[in-house]
Amino acid sequence: MLSVHSFFARLFAPLVVRDSGRAAAMLTRFARTELGNSLVMRWAAATTTSPVRRAAYLRHALDEERHARFFAARARKLGAPSRRLVADADDVFRLLGERRFVAFVHRAEARGQREFEAYERGFRAAGDAKTAAVFALVLRDERRHVEYSKDFFAELGVGRTTLAWVTAWEAVRAAQRSASVVFGALHFCVMLGLYAALVPFSLVARQRSRRKGAREVSARSVALFER
Amino acid sequence: MAAVLGISGLYHDAAAALVVDGRVVAAMHEERLDRVKHSAALPERAARACLAMAGIDAKALDAVVFYEEPFAKFERLLGWLVQTFPRAPSYFARSLRQQLAKKLWVLDELSETLGVPRSKVSSREHHLCHAASAFFVSPFEEAAVLTVDGVGEHTTTAIWQGRGATLERRFSLEFPHSLGLFYAAITAYTGFEVLDGELKLMALAAHGTPRYVGELSRVLHLGADGDFALDARYFDAFTDTELGFGAELERLLGPARPANVPWDLARSPDDRRYADIARSAQVLTEEALLGLARRARREVAADALCLAGGVALNCTATARLAAEAGFSRVFVQPAAGDAGGALGAAILRALELGDPRPAPLGSPALGQAIDAGAGADLAERLGLGVSRPPRPFERAAEILARGGLVALATGRGEWGPRALGFRSLLARADDTGVRDAVNRRVKGRESFRPFAPSVLEANADALFHHVGADMTPFMTTVCRPRESALGELSGVVHVDGTSRLHSVSKERAPALAELLAEYERSTGRRALLDTSLNGAGEPIAGSENDAVAFFATHRAVDALLLDDVLVERRPR
């Protein structure tokens, strides 16, 4: 099945792989996403009541942490600035409950697999074997994640209805996120206008601080510290 | 008699603390549960975990208290944005969004999230919460209390008189004159991340000489009687630069150090210059704190001093205060930073409701408990070897003696940023090679940062000079090892000849005490290197899941002790 993600991955892969700056930015984004996914899986491991699934979720979380490190390291090699990764994630397990959560994990991993396959092919075709190898390593785990999550379907009663519900939920979430981006941009513009309105207040503040003068404190002798 | 939940959050180091009938029953950092280092969330997980620990439903709470006044803080922010105009358009837009969307309504959100009536949710002043977090769990009936941090609502520094169940403010300084902001600016200037790298700067300082004190005295003016002022020209906090320091500071000290570049103090003159700047900033900070402490001694006729606020985590400075400020005893509780505000907030409200003052803080184990059985099951499923040896500490001591690393996860997690024998990674303290291996293969820290020793309380005086018995159980100060013990402590002495000692007693940290005793019996050595149970950039382990995950992913660690369960690697 060709999802929107894998469609765009196939479309943009040739553009991304030829430019190391773009590739580095994309790998950093992937690193951040994988780190976010690891949190989601850690929270799931902490919440599930099944010891079997707890181990599976935790193993999954550790895979995602490793992926984040792989992607971040490769991004740095391609010129990305060396910054601490900060992840953002929703507690999907708590939002959806475990049955829908497992369906969500399965769909997300399958989508990730298709996306990464497109990039792996792209980087290999562009002659960047090292970046392609990173994707190949990650893909090995992604395939396992797709399989293990499906193995829980019968146990948790995940059927077509659940998968359809999760598909719809993901669509709504994607729309909400897009709306949030638009709202954020709009908010930023409004705030800039509001910021400009601070001009008279800032003039008053400056006049006041000039009148008040500098805070008077007597500096101690520098010699005090020369010991 | 009341059940009061204190909350700190939405900035950094979010935490929750629960006080029931005047007893501190739980205190937890959100990062140990949400796995985001220095978590800035509203600590819902920590709050629920505290309630679960006490077996209390949120509806049974008598009060929920937030650790700062949201509207007062907003007022300061607006005032400052007016003053920094026009250098903060992006910061203005972003911070206003955060304030209007969330921070201003935090009390309503707490009410909704926890299901507690809004009338039971209130807030207290930030520095008052800090002061309460230190004094009310201290062993003192009367003390001077000094609170120093970046900034609360308006206050950055305050001196309080603590007496019985009361706190009275005696002196305060307001934003922007802040030791926390000064230290944060130098932290950013030397390439570390603010709110994370301050303790790295403190460690770096030991490698430098204070030859920039003259220059930095223009930035931080020390006045008479504990007063000080920052020269605003050198700072750029709360503007779009997001650096904390301004271009003027670079003109004064030279170019700032780029972030995330590996340090090389042996070969790089630039890095040595940054170490000198760090040392100079440390010296000035210590002098400022000494001035404040001496003023506190004069203002408050008490023989003991309590410290709180992020700056109180500067253990080199607390050692100087203990030695030079004129107090006979000094106390810093383990979570002296913003997390501690949750504890202070809860105690303040509990006292208002008529509860007695809490007992002095005994054990720092106020966090989430380990379920060793569940951990053993998990470890087996992850393909690790699990056993319940009759004498697990004997086995752990054997591993340590031959230079191995042992992870210890036992009982309830620590309150505060230090490993205090409940979520610890242990190694020999007398071997610099082992220390370097811990750093290289597990912690991934800058090579200039020291490791700390844990020793039995009974051995502390034999190994160290001037053990500050009120602080060493919580690792909030440093001590100087005795000459005779230097060989035994070679892996845990910093370049300035000090160690951040953790003195261990059976009452406070029973498992670590037993392991130290076993290690001494089998090797004759009395100290272990004790560092937090986490990898690079990770929060300290909270649950058994985290401990097992840590062990599974760090092959350099030889064994994990989960209460009485020993987890080892199966031979390949």
Side-chain angles (χ1 to χ4, degrees):
Chain A
M1 189 178 72
L2 190 67
S3 70
V4 178
H5 271 80
S6 53
F7 169 75
F8 280 116
R10 284 183 190 188
L11 192 68
F12 292 125
L15 297 174
V16 171
V17 299
R18 283 192 205 111
D19 182 298
S20 63
R22 277 196 208 122
M26 184 197 69
L27 290 167
T28 304
R29 186 168 56 79
F30 283 157
R32 216 176 287 129
T33 306
E34 296 288 297
L35 198 61
N37 293 346
S38 82
L39 290 178
V40 172
M41 299 312 298
R42 283 237 186 194
W43 297 335
T47 317
T48 183
T49 52
S50 153
V52 177
R53 292 194 293 274
R54 177 161 80 145
Y57 296 156
L58 193 63
R59 192 180 282 125
H60 186 156
L62 298 180
D63 289 341
E64 301 286 15
E65 283 168 24
R66 201 172 55 250
H67 300 170
R69 284 197 300 273
F70 288 163
F71 282 134
R74 190 66 202 145
R76 279 196 297 274
K77 289 271 182 210
L78 294 176
S82 179
R83 285 201 193 110
R84 188 164 70 96
L85 284 179
V86 181
D88 189 21
D90 295 325
D91 191 345
V92 185
F93 189 100
R94 202 167 60 165
L95 284 171
L96 302 185
E98 189 158 14
R99 184 164 53 91
R100 286 168 176 167
F101 172 76
V102 165
F104 165 79
V105 170
H106 177 75
R107 279 183 47 79
E109 292 298 315
R111 193 166 54 235
Q113 182 190 326
R114 288 190 294 271
E115 193 174 359
F116 290 165
E117 278 167 351
Y119 283 112
E120 196 236 346
R121 278 194 300 270
F123 280 108
R124 203 168 292 288
D128 183 350
K130 283 185 178 164
T131 309
V134 169
F135 277 99
L137 269 175
V138 171
L139 271 166
R140 212 168 50 190
D141 292 332
E142 298 290 310
R143 289 183 189 115
R144 192 157 41 77
H145 298 162
V146 173
E147 290 307 314
Y148 96 79
S149 50
K150 195 171 184 182
D151 289 346
F152 289 139
F153 277 14
E155 194 178 326
L156 289 166
V158 177
R160 281 187 183 171
T161 322
T162 312
L163 285 165
W165 191 95
V166 169
T167 308
W169 179 79
E170 285 185 301
V172 171
R173 193 165 78 141
Q176 282 172 338
R177 284 182 172 176
S178 305
S180 169
V181 170
V182 173
F183 172 78
L186 199 64
H187 171 90
F188 188 78
C189 296
V190 172
M191 286 297 133
L192 283 185
L194 196 58
Y195 191 61
L198 292 184
V199 175
F201 299 104
S202 86
L203 291 175
V204 172
R206 267 174 214 179
Q207 258 182 350
R208 265 188 62 188
S209 78
R210 261 201 297 274
R211 272 204 300 271
K212 202 173 162 191
R215 188 184 169 82
E216 284 185 12
V217 284
S218 57
R220 285 185 189 180
S221 163
V222 169
L224 177 68
F225 306 107
E226 290 172 352
R227 43 178 159 176
Chain B
M1 302 304 246
V4 183
L5 184 69
I7 297 285
S8 62
L10 298 186
Y11 184 43
H12 68 114
D13 293 328
L18 182 63
V19 174
V20 180
D21 300 342
R23 205 166 58 88
V24 181
V25 296
M28 299 188 200
H29 299 255
E30 183 72 0
E31 66 162 26
R32 313 280 154 91
L33 295 131
D34 73 4
R35 310 306 302 157
V36 178
K37 202 168 169 72
H38 303 301
S39 178
L42 194 67
E44 188 187 345
R45 284 183 173 84
R48 293 202 186 282
C50 284
L51 292 168
M53 187 60 73
I56 290 178
D57 189 88
K59 290 187 175 54
L61 284 169
D62 294 285
V64 176
V65 193
F66 191 61
Y67 80 135
E68 66 184 11
E69 309 273 9
F71 283 88
K73 189 168 179 172
F74 184 56
E75 181 196 346
R76 188 250 302 156
L77 180 72
L78 281 183
W80 191 246
L81 283 166
V82 166
Q83 289 192 37
T84 58
F85 185 88
R87 290 182 289 134
S90 292
Y91 182 79
F92 176 84
R94 201 176 55 250
S95 57
L96 243 64
R97 185 173 183 178
Q98 286 168 356
Q99 291 288 336
L100 297 174
K102 198 167 177 88
K103 293 187 175 182
L104 277 177
W105 324 114
V106 60
L107 306 187
D108 302 281
E109 191 179 347
L110 279 170
S111 161
E112 279 168 31
T113 306
L114 297 170
V116 176
R118 177 63 181 81
S119 57
K120 289 185 176 177
V121 184
S122 59
S123 59
R124 294 292 177 279
E125 194 219 326
H126 186 85
H127 271 254
L128 178 59
C129 293
H130 272 318
S133 78
F135 176 63
F136 292 132
V137 297
S138 76
F140 314 129
E141 185 53 30
E142 192 164 357
V145 185
L146 178 57
T147 57
V148 192
D149 70 357
V151 58
E153 293 84 0
H154 297 276
T155 303
T156 64
T157 307
I159 292 171
W160 310 77
Q161 175 169 32
R163 186 179 286 161
T166 61
L167 276 166
E168 188 186 326
R169 186 192 294 253
R170 290 301 187 88
F171 167 79
S172 62
L173 286 171
E174 294 208 340
F175 183 82
H177 304 293
S178 159
L179 280 183
L181 289 183
F182 168 71
Y183 214 76
I186 305 300
T187 298
Y189 173 84
T190 42
F192 301 118
E193 197 174 336
V194 172
L195 301 177
D196 180 61
E198 281 79 356
L199 299 182
K200 298 179 188 180
L201 183 73
M202 184 183 73
L204 176 67
H207 292 262
T209 51
R211 65 189 175 98
Y212 287 92
V213 164
E215 284 85 346
L216 284 175
S217 296
R218 287 184 227 164
V219 181
L220 172 66
H221 302 285
L222 297 184
D225 213 18
D227 201 1
F228 64 83
L230 294 190
D231 188 330
R233 285 175 305 160
Y234 296 101
F235 296 87
D236 219 0
F238 310 109
T239 69
D240 283 3
T241 62
E242 297 188 39
L243 281 173
F245 63 88
E248 199 64 35
L249 191 73
E250 290 196 88
R251 276 191 278 279
L252 181 72
L253 299 173
R257 191 176 194 277
N260 296 311
V261 177
W263 283 82
D264 187 355
L265 289 166
R267 282 187 292 265
S268 163
D270 278 346
D271 280 354
R272 285 199 296 275
R273 180 173 70 84
Y274 293 117
D276 292 344
I277 290 167
R279 179 65 185 274
S280 309
Q282 175 69 23
V283 166
L284 271 170
T285 303
E286 288 174 16
E287 288 296 329
L289 284 171
L290 264 174
L292 286 163
R294 286 178 182 138
R295 177 168 189 154
R297 184 90 178 86
R298 281 192 301 278
E299 297 261 346
V300 180
D303 208 27
L305 174 70
C306 297
L307 284 144
V311 179
L313 288 170
N314 191 315
C315 52
T316 314
T318 58
R320 266 196 83 185
L321 294 190
E324 298 176 37
F327 291 95
S328 63
R329 294 172 73 181
V330 178
F331 172 75
V332 181
Q333 65 105 350
D338 268 11
L343 179 62
I347 296 173
L348 282 168
R349 185 72 186 119
L351 291 171
E352 287 167 10
L353 291 170
D355 275 351
R357 182 181 155 176
L361 189 64
S363 170
L366 295 167
Q368 196 182 6
I370 285 282
D371 181 340
D377 176 85
L378 178 64
E380 273 183 347
R381 289 178 196 282
L382 294 179
L384 300 165
V386 174
S387 63
R388 285 183 195 263
R391 286 181 293 279
F393 295 114
E394 204 177 290
R395 173 81 186 116
E398 266 172 44
I399 295 169
L400 291 164
R402 63 169 162 77
L405 310 185
V406 173
L408 177 66
T410 179
R412 297 175 63 182
E414 292 93 343
W415 173 235
R418 305 287 183 214
L420 299 171
F422 300 90
R423 304 290 185 271
S424 286
L425 177 65
L426 304 166
R428 284 173 68 145
D430 61 342
D431 189 330
T432 51
V434 171
R435 175 200 64 194
D436 295 342
V438 174
N439 210 6
R440 202 176 51 249
R441 300 182 63 194
V442 183
K443 304 293 283 189
R445 309 193 315 184
E446 295 81 1
S447 58
F448 60 76
R449 292 173 64 191
F451 284 101
S454 278
V455 307
L456 283 172
E457 217 162 69
N459 289 330
D461 280 321
L463 294 168
F464 294 90
H465 293 286
H466 310 299
V467 175
D470 293 313
M471 291 192 279
T472 54
F474 307 116
M475 237 191 232
T476 47
T477 192
V478 293
C479 302
R480 210 163 272 280
R482 293 185 185 277
E483 284 285 319
S484 57
L486 282 175
E488 210 175 325
L489 299 166
S490 58
V492 288
V493 181
H494 199 19
V495 67
D496 63 357
T498 65
S499 292
R500 202 176 59 230
L501 169 63
H502 174 212
S503 60
V504 182
S505 67
K506 217 188 285 182
E507 295 72 34
R508 284 196 168 105
L512 182 57
E514 202 169 330
L515 180 51
L516 278 163
E518 186 56 50
Y519 184 67
E520 186 180 354
R521 253 195 306 277
S522 59
T523 65
R525 291 185 288 261
R526 295 166 288 182
L528 283 171
L529 180 156
D530 182 356
T531 184
S532 50
L533 193 59
N534 57 344
E538 296 169 359
I540 300 178
S543 67
E544 63 280 359
N545 283 7
D546 306 327
V548 172
F550 170 85
F551 182 66
T553 50
H554 292 89
R555 298 201 65 84
V557 182
D558 299 273
L560 162 67
L561 202 51
L562 275 169
D563 287 345
D564 60 338
V565 173
L566 190 70
V567 184
E568 292 176 274
R569 290 178 209 288
R570 288 197 174 124
R572 280 181 169 178

